[in-house]
Amino acid sequence: MKQYQAAIIGTGRIGFLLGKDRRREQPAAHTAALKANNRIKLTAGCDIDGNRLALWQRENPQAKTFGHIDALLSEINADIITIAVNEDAHLSTTLKVLNSRPRLIILEKPVALNSNDALKIQNASNQLQVPIMINHERRFSKDYQTAKKLIETDILGKLQLVRGSLWSGMRVYSVSQENTGAYSLIHDGTHLVDIVQYLLGQRLEHPAVSNIVRDDGNSVRQVQVNYLTDSNIAVSLTFSGQCKYFGFDLELRFSEGRILIGNGIFRVETKKESPYYSGFFSLLKEKKYKPSKKSGYFSNMVQNAVDFLDGNATLDSTLEDGITALTVLEEIKKHF
């Protein structure tokens, strides 16, 4: 069975270090996920931080290391190249990698700092015919995949409302961070928008933006965004920053049930005869739907890449999906 050669650019948090977090479901970083797949051989790593790269090399002695992307691309001929650098380096790094023509690029979210940069990546990807997968990891989680199946099969009745919230220590938006992407609307908001669009199977359009709470004239601490889809599903998203915890959750309300899903949360409730009121129905926990012990959010992403290269699957998180999420976020940002 063919083994694919892989290289990783960026050995920081999502590239490597989260793979050492014992409280997270593992694999939780690109390095660990690539190594865990027996169809992939990790042959090279690259980082401009020498200390970080040395730590990575100690745990990956079989791979070559490079302090500059040009050196890696001139020597390594990889089937898969993973890009896990900061958002402000996505455009320049991805364009260089595209020119080396690997068979597949795995690019960390968001695609770029803005849609103009993202479209430059898309144009180069199309011209050079190099496909790009975006690591919107929740698309690959068994819990979210189960939720999507429940929506599509109407087991819980008609979906009527999606309520999502993101709570972060970062500001929701800051003008001063436009060039770094260090604000939660883009950094983690891309996950919230993307997973809602994945579950609904449609783009969020025409946002009604309200309740903007500002810290000062140039930064936003909280905002409420509402949509009504073509199929009359109400969508309500809350982005809140400068919190002392991180929260990410969705509530999906149906005519005959409810799903609660998010970080550490998965609960399905169905309509049953109420134990509280005579002659009424209540929503009660459905025991046959349980949270996955291993959601496979990172390992399933890498397996999808392998299946794609084998010619047996399409990419489940495409460059186009990533650009759509980015443009939705920019439509919200216009109201700031």
Side-chain angles (χ1 to χ4, degrees), residues 311-331:
N312 296 326
T314 58
L315 294 177
D316 290 335
S317 183
T318 66
L319 176 59
E320 289 70 26
D321 293 325
I323 293 174
T324 300
L326 193 58
T327 57
V328 168
L329 293 168
E330 288 185 334
E331 290 168 359

Side-chain angles (χ1 to χ4, degrees), residues 136-141 145 194-195 197-198 316-317 321:
H136 277 130
E137 59 196 33
R138 287 169 178 81
R139 285 176 174 252
F140 302 97
S141 168
Q145 290 173 351
D194 179 73
I195 199 59
Q197 294 186 143
Y198 165 77
D316 290 335
S317 183
D321 293 325

Side-chain angles (χ1 to χ4, degrees), residues 119 201 220 235 249 270 334:
L119 290 175
V220 174
V235 178
D249 52 76
T270 55
K334 288 178 182 177

Side-chain angles (χ1 to χ4, degrees), residues 37-57:
N37 193 295
N38 62 11
R39 297 288 309 284
I40 293 176
K41 181 179 180 181
L42 185 58
T43 60
C46 178
D47 203 299
I48 58 175
D49 186 320
N51 292 330
R52 202 159 57 190
L53 188 60
L55 176 62
W56 185 89
Q57 187 172 36

